[in-house]
Amino acid sequence: MSTMIDILSEPAILVALIALIGLIAQKKGLADTVKGTTKTFVGFLVIAAGAGILSGSLTPFGAMFEEAFNVSGVVPNNEAVVALALTEYGTTTALIMFFGMIVNILIARFTRYKYIFLTGHHTLYLACMLAVIMAVAGFDTFGLIAAGSVALGIVMTLSPAILQPFMRQLTGNDNVALGHFSAVGYAASGLVGKLFKGSKETSTENIKFPNGLGFLRDSTVSIALTMVVMYLIVAFFAGPTFIEAELSGGTNFLVFSLIQAGTFAAGVYVILSGVRLVLAEIVPAFKGISTKLVPNAKPALDVPIIFTYAPNAVLIGFFASFIGGIASMVIMIFLGGVIILPGVVPHFFTGAAAGVFGNATGGFKGSVAGSFVNGIIISFLPVFLMPVLGDLGFANTTFSDADFGVSGIFFGSLANYAGPIAITVSLAVIILLMIIPGKKKNSNRSEETKVG
């Protein structure tokens, strides 16, 4: 069982296997098959390495922020809450994950929702949350796994589906989808962006710098310099005593902050390099699956795949989302009750993506406003999610991204107030609605044929 969890939760292995199957289905030669599979595998490892670099540089920033401004509360973090839950729900999580992926493929095969979710670690996290909720609902073991698997397959399909109109606008085609469980926040950002009627002239990527500041057009340089300013400001407020004793291992607090800021920029650069490598291989390879196994299927890939479309919006979105998190925290302090602290890592990844989508629909203003709204969404949803998680809701952390909150609150509320029968009926109704052909089914398929 642990081996299955390890395999299915590793995006590099999972997507490499998908690429291998796709290339074999296309009857590619041995050389092309080995090349495409290997480059996909390595590309995802490059992305994971970049994400690790980013997370490593952001963790001390979060600690510095809490010390600098003397705040305490619940920090949403998917990895932390899943680590706690797996100790009790590890077996059921693995089974829900496995059968949930099968449900996702079946939905893609037999309905108009042609999205195959390939972000393994997010699938694991949601499977874990659903295992907890279904246990709280009172399902027996078989019912828990069955209901959790169907619920997981549904969310794996609908999450990229609601975001695909914005993906088409962003990428200019319909070849790839986004598989990241914060689609509600991203779609909200895209909708907010539309209020500003953006265009290429107002894009974050067309910011005009004075001639003397032309070096800021290089995204690596602008990201590094901006993060240096942020780190140094927070470092001064946190103070050298705390940083050198708790974080830097005695290294001067300014030097430590400078290195962390540069490391952040390096992580972004590594991620963008990995994204280019993966997209060059996975989309052509996936045509084998979409042609042979699931006609017109689209791969739903992890969030960094969109960062290359607007690198400036990535940084702007992070800042705006984080500010939204701070504003939400202040509101919670005045309201009393649970205080959700702005987690730097979720605000970076979801805020960055929200910034890209907001920019696609509303230019610079859309990027800022959309990401700010995303920051509010991922701050308040965890407040309402915690009560439905049973004993896990008393932990000092919770799930962070928007889709976890929406799906968790929906199924958790049914579990707490109506029980297994209501969940079963709800799942059956949702599946039935997905099976019913849409009014624009034929036009959608013709469009997919043109761009695919």
Side-chain angles (χ1 to χ4, degrees):
M1 194 62 63
S2 61
T3 301
M4 184 169 68
I5 292 178
D6 290 342
I7 292 174
L8 296 180
S9 62
E10 283 292 341
I13 297 177
L14 179 63
V15 179
L17 287 173
I18 295 295
L20 176 62
I21 294 170
L23 291 167
I24 291 174
Q26 294 180 77
K27 299 181 180 180
K28 293 289 186 180
L30 178 62
D32 289 337
T33 301
V34 172
K35 174 189 170 185
T37 304
T38 303
K39 291 182 76 172
T40 301
F41 177 65
V42 172
F44 259 86
L45 290 178
V46 171
I47 293 174
I53 294 171
L54 275 178
S55 298
S57 68
L58 289 174
T59 299
F61 182 85
M64 289 160 59
F65 181 85
E66 291 181 38
E67 175 69 19
F69 302 105
N70 193 29
V71 291
S72 61
V74 176
V75 181
N77 184 283
N78 294 329
E79 290 78 10
V81 69
V82 167
L84 292 173
L86 283 179
T87 58
E88 184 175 353
Y89 300 98
T91 301
T92 50
T93 294
L95 291 171
I96 288 174
M97 182 177 182
F98 177 75
F99 289 111
M101 295 175 73
I102 293 177
V103 172
N104 175 219
I105 294 171
L106 290 174
I107 291 174
R109 178 64 180 85
F110 295 107
T111 76
R112 64 188 184 276
Y113 298 97
K114 305 296 183 180
Y115 306 97
I116 297 181
F117 196 96
L118 296 177
T119 306
H121 63 292
H122 257 218
T123 306
L124 171 66
Y125 299 161
L126 187 57
C128 184
M129 186 186 76
L130 290 171
V132 174
I133 289 175
M134 299 306 169
V136 172
F139 279 100
D140 59 22
T141 301
F142 175 80
L144 187 156
I145 295 169
S149 300
V150 174
L152 177 60
I154 289 172
V155 179
M156 290 172 72
T157 306
L158 292 183
S159 178
I162 66 173
L163 201 56
Q164 194 60 16
F166 300 101
M167 281 294 289
R168 283 194 289 267
Q169 184 170 348
L170 175 67
T171 64
N173 59 59
D174 207 25
N175 296 334
V176 68
L178 186 62
H180 196 255
F181 287 136
S182 202
V184 170
Y186 304 153
S189 180
L191 290 173
V192 169
K194 286 186 176 182
L195 299 176
F196 299 93
K197 298 179 180 179
S199 65
K200 291 183 179 180
E201 288 71 27
T202 64
S203 170
T204 57
E205 308 314 296
N206 291 331
I207 295 175
K208 295 182 179 180
F209 298 101
N211 291 334
L213 298 177
F215 57 87
L216 292 176
R217 294 189 183 95
D218 187 311
S219 60
T220 301
V221 175
S222 60
I223 289 172
L225 293 179
T226 305
M227 292 306 296
V228 164
V229 173
M230 277 195 66
Y231 265 95
L232 291 180
I233 291 174
V234 175
F236 275 115
F237 278 99
T241 302
F242 170 77
I243 295 174
E244 292 172 12
E246 302 294 333
L247 301 175
S248 72
T251 301
N252 179 273
F253 77 111
L254 296 178
V255 173
F256 175 77
S257 301
L258 186 66
I259 294 298
Q260 296 305 314
T263 302
F264 177 93
V268 173
Y269 183 86
V270 171
I271 284 178
L272 297 181
S273 299
V275 167
R276 296 185 184 98
L277 184 61
V278 168
L279 288 182
E281 300 297 333
I282 188 63
V283 173
F286 200 81
K287 287 182 179 178
I289 292 178
S290 64
T291 301
K292 302 290 184 180
L293 304 177
V294 185
N296 300 313
K298 300 175 185 66
L301 303 174
D302 202 359
V303 69
I305 64 165
I306 68 168
F307 290 177
T308 55
Y309 290 95
N312 289 340
V314 167
L315 192 60
I316 291 169
F318 167 41
F319 290 155
S321 181
F322 192 71
I323 292 172
I326 294 174
S328 301
M329 179 186 70
V330 172
I331 293 172
M332 292 175 197
I333 291 173
F334 280 104
L335 293 177
V338 176
I339 298 174
I340 302 295
L341 300 182
V344 182
V345 173
H347 276 289
F348 172 74
F349 284 102
T350 70
V356 173
F357 284 114
N359 177 65
T361 58
F364 175 81
K365 292 180 180 179
S367 180
V368 173
S371 301
F372 183 83
V373 169
N374 173 79
I376 294 175
I377 289 173
I378 68 170
S379 297
F380 278 97
L381 280 178
V383 174
F384 300 101
L385 175 63
M386 291 175 68
V388 306
L389 293 178
D391 293 339
L392 196 64
F394 295 102
N396 198 37
T397 186
T398 185
F399 293 91
S400 58
D401 298 6
D403 293 359
F404 291 103
V406 172
S407 56
I409 292 168
F410 175 74
F411 290 115
S413 298
L414 288 176
N416 284 344
Y417 301 113
I421 294 178
I423 292 179
T424 303
V425 171
S426 298
L427 292 174
V429 170
I430 294 171
I431 289 292
L432 181 62
L433 291 174
M434 296 177 76
I435 293 174
I436 297 174
K439 294 180 180 179
K440 297 181 179 180
K441 180 178 179 182
N442 292 332
S443 61
N444 284 343
R445 287 202 170 185
S446 63
E447 180 186 353
E448 289 169 1
T449 302
K450 290 178 184 177
V451 298

PDB file of all heavy atoms in Angstrom, residues 141-155:
ATOM      1  N   THR A 141     -16.270   0.910   6.051  1.00  0.00           N
ATOM      2  CA  THR A 141     -15.022   0.956   5.282  1.00  0.00           C
ATOM      3  C   THR A 141     -15.272   0.951   3.778  1.00  0.00           C
ATOM      4  O   THR A 141     -14.704   1.761   3.040  1.00  0.00           O
ATOM      5  CB  THR A 141     -14.118  -0.238   5.656  1.00  0.00           C
ATOM      6  OG1 THR A 141     -13.841  -0.184   7.056  1.00  0.00           O
ATOM      7  CG2 THR A 141     -12.798  -0.163   4.889  1.00  0.00           C
ATOM      8  N   PHE A 142     -16.129   0.047   3.312  1.00  0.00           N
ATOM      9  CA  PHE A 142     -16.402  -0.026   1.872  1.00  0.00           C
ATOM     10  C   PHE A 142     -17.065   1.256   1.378  1.00  0.00           C
ATOM     11  O   PHE A 142     -16.686   1.816   0.352  1.00  0.00           O
ATOM     12  CB  PHE A 142     -17.296  -1.234   1.565  1.00  0.00           C
ATOM     13  CG  PHE A 142     -17.710  -1.312   0.114  1.00  0.00           C
ATOM     14  CD1 PHE A 142     -16.844  -1.827  -0.838  1.00  0.00           C
ATOM     15  CD2 PHE A 142     -18.962  -0.842  -0.287  1.00  0.00           C
ATOM     16  CE1 PHE A 142     -17.217  -1.887  -2.179  1.00  0.00           C
ATOM     17  CE2 PHE A 142     -19.344  -0.898  -1.619  1.00  0.00           C
ATOM     18  CZ  PHE A 142     -18.472  -1.424  -2.563  1.00  0.00           C
ATOM     19  N   GLY A 143     -18.072   1.716   2.107  1.00  0.00           N
ATOM     20  CA  GLY A 143     -18.769   2.935   1.709  1.00  0.00           C
ATOM     21  C   GLY A 143     -17.867   4.147   1.728  1.00  0.00           C
ATOM     22  O   GLY A 143     -17.954   5.030   0.866  1.00  0.00           O
ATOM     23  N   LEU A 144     -16.977   4.194   2.714  1.00  0.00           N
ATOM     24  CA  LEU A 144     -16.023   5.311   2.815  1.00  0.00           C
ATOM     25  C   LEU A 144     -15.147   5.380   1.574  1.00  0.00           C
ATOM     26  O   LEU A 144     -14.965   6.458   0.985  1.00  0.00           O
ATOM     27  CB  LEU A 144     -15.172   5.126   4.078  1.00  0.00           C
ATOM     28  CG  LEU A 144     -14.217   6.247   4.502  1.00  0.00           C
ATOM     29  CD1 LEU A 144     -13.934   6.154   5.994  1.00  0.00           C
ATOM     30  CD2 LEU A 144     -12.895   6.171   3.736  1.00  0.00           C
ATOM     31  N   ILE A 145     -14.604   4.229   1.171  1.00  0.00           N
ATOM     32  CA  ILE A 145     -13.713   4.193   0.007  1.00  0.00           C
ATOM     33  C   ILE A 145     -14.484   4.504  -1.273  1.00  0.00           C
ATOM     34  O   ILE A 145     -14.020   5.261  -2.134  1.00  0.00           O
ATOM     35  CB  ILE A 145     -13.014   2.820  -0.082  1.00  0.00           C
ATOM     36  CG1 ILE A 145     -12.082   2.628   1.119  1.00  0.00           C
ATOM     37  CG2 ILE A 145     -12.239   2.689  -1.393  1.00  0.00           C
ATOM     38  CD1 ILE A 145     -11.549   1.217   1.265  1.00  0.00           C
ATOM     39  N   ALA A 146     -15.699   3.941  -1.391  1.00  0.00           N
ATOM     40  CA  ALA A 146     -16.505   4.158  -2.599  1.00  0.00           C
ATOM     41  C   ALA A 146     -16.914   5.623  -2.725  1.00  0.00           C
ATOM     42  O   ALA A 146     -16.730   6.248  -3.779  1.00  0.00           O
ATOM     43  CB  ALA A 146     -17.733   3.258  -2.580  1.00  0.00           C
ATOM     44  N   ALA A 147     -17.464   6.186  -1.652  1.00  0.00           N
ATOM     45  CA  ALA A 147     -17.915   7.579  -1.696  1.00  0.00           C
ATOM     46  C   ALA A 147     -16.732   8.524  -1.879  1.00  0.00           C
ATOM     47  O   ALA A 147     -16.799   9.485  -2.662  1.00  0.00           O
ATOM     48  CB  ALA A 147     -18.675   7.927  -0.416  1.00  0.00           C
ATOM     49  N   GLY A 148     -15.644   8.254  -1.177  1.00  0.00           N
ATOM     50  CA  GLY A 148     -14.456   9.098  -1.300  1.00  0.00           C
ATOM     51  C   GLY A 148     -13.875   9.067  -2.700  1.00  0.00           C
ATOM     52  O   GLY A 148     -13.452  10.102  -3.239  1.00  0.00           O
ATOM     53  N   SER A 149     -13.866   7.882  -3.321  1.00  0.00           N
ATOM     54  CA  SER A 149     -13.309   7.744  -4.670  1.00  0.00           C
ATOM     55  C   SER A 149     -14.140   8.497  -5.701  1.00  0.00           C
ATOM     56  O   SER A 149     -13.600   9.190  -6.575  1.00  0.00           O
ATOM     57  CB  SER A 149     -13.227   6.262  -5.056  1.00  0.00           C
ATOM     58  OG  SER A 149     -12.400   5.552  -4.158  1.00  0.00           O
ATOM     59  N   VAL A 150     -15.461   8.365  -5.613  1.00  0.00           N
ATOM     60  CA  VAL A 150     -16.333   9.065  -6.560  1.00  0.00           C
ATOM     61  C   VAL A 150     -16.210  10.576  -6.363  1.00  0.00           C
ATOM     62  O   VAL A 150     -16.121  11.346  -7.336  1.00  0.00           O
ATOM     63  CB  VAL A 150     -17.794   8.610  -6.391  1.00  0.00           C
ATOM     64  CG1 VAL A 150     -18.721   9.441  -7.272  1.00  0.00           C
ATOM     65  CG2 VAL A 150     -17.925   7.128  -6.725  1.00  0.00           C
ATOM     66  N   ALA A 151     -16.202  11.010  -5.094  1.00  0.00           N
ATOM     67  CA  ALA A 151     -16.061  12.445  -4.816  1.00  0.00           C
ATOM     68  C   ALA A 151     -14.735  12.970  -5.355  1.00  0.00           C
ATOM     69  O   ALA A 151     -14.677  14.054  -5.962  1.00  0.00           O
ATOM     70  CB  ALA A 151     -16.153  12.703  -3.316  1.00  0.00           C
ATOM     71  N   LEU A 152     -13.669  12.211  -5.161  1.00  0.00           N
ATOM     72  CA  LEU A 152     -12.354  12.626  -5.653  1.00  0.00           C
ATOM     73  C   LEU A 152     -12.348  12.718  -7.170  1.00  0.00           C
ATOM     74  O   LEU A 152     -11.860  13.701  -7.747  1.00  0.00           O
ATOM     75  CB  LEU A 152     -11.284  11.637  -5.171  1.00  0.00           C
ATOM     76  CG  LEU A 152      -9.856  11.893  -5.654  1.00  0.00           C
ATOM     77  CD1 LEU A 152      -9.362  13.260  -5.188  1.00  0.00           C
ATOM     78  CD2 LEU A 152      -8.907  10.794  -5.162  1.00  0.00           C
ATOM     79  N   GLY A 153     -12.893  11.705  -7.839  1.00  0.00           N
ATOM     80  CA  GLY A 153     -12.930  11.719  -9.299  1.00  0.00           C
ATOM     81  C   GLY A 153     -13.714  12.897  -9.846  1.00  0.00           C
ATOM     82  O   GLY A 153     -13.333  13.502 -10.853  1.00  0.00           O
ATOM     83  N   ILE A 154     -14.799  13.252  -9.163  1.00  0.00           N
ATOM     84  CA  ILE A 154     -15.613  14.392  -9.595  1.00  0.00           C
ATOM     85  C   ILE A 154     -14.820  15.693  -9.479  1.00  0.00           C
ATOM     86  O   ILE A 154     -14.788  16.503 -10.413  1.00  0.00           O
ATOM     87  CB  ILE A 154     -16.907  14.468  -8.756  1.00  0.00           C
ATOM     88  CG1 ILE A 154     -17.853  13.319  -9.135  1.00  0.00           C
ATOM     89  CG2 ILE A 154     -17.596  15.813  -8.946  1.00  0.00           C
ATOM     90  CD1 ILE A 154     -19.063  13.204  -8.222  1.00  0.00           C
ATOM     91  N   VAL A 155     -14.179  15.905  -8.331  1.00  0.00           N
ATOM     92  CA  VAL A 155     -13.430  17.152  -8.125  1.00  0.00           C
ATOM     93  C   VAL A 155     -12.229  17.213  -9.068  1.00  0.00           C
ATOM     94  O   VAL A 155     -11.903  18.276  -9.609  1.00  0.00           O
ATOM     95  CB  VAL A 155     -12.978  17.287  -6.657  1.00  0.00           C
ATOM     96  CG1 VAL A 155     -12.186  18.576  -6.459  1.00  0.00           C
ATOM     97  CG2 VAL A 155     -14.173  17.272  -5.717  1.00  0.00           C
TER      98      VAL A 155
END
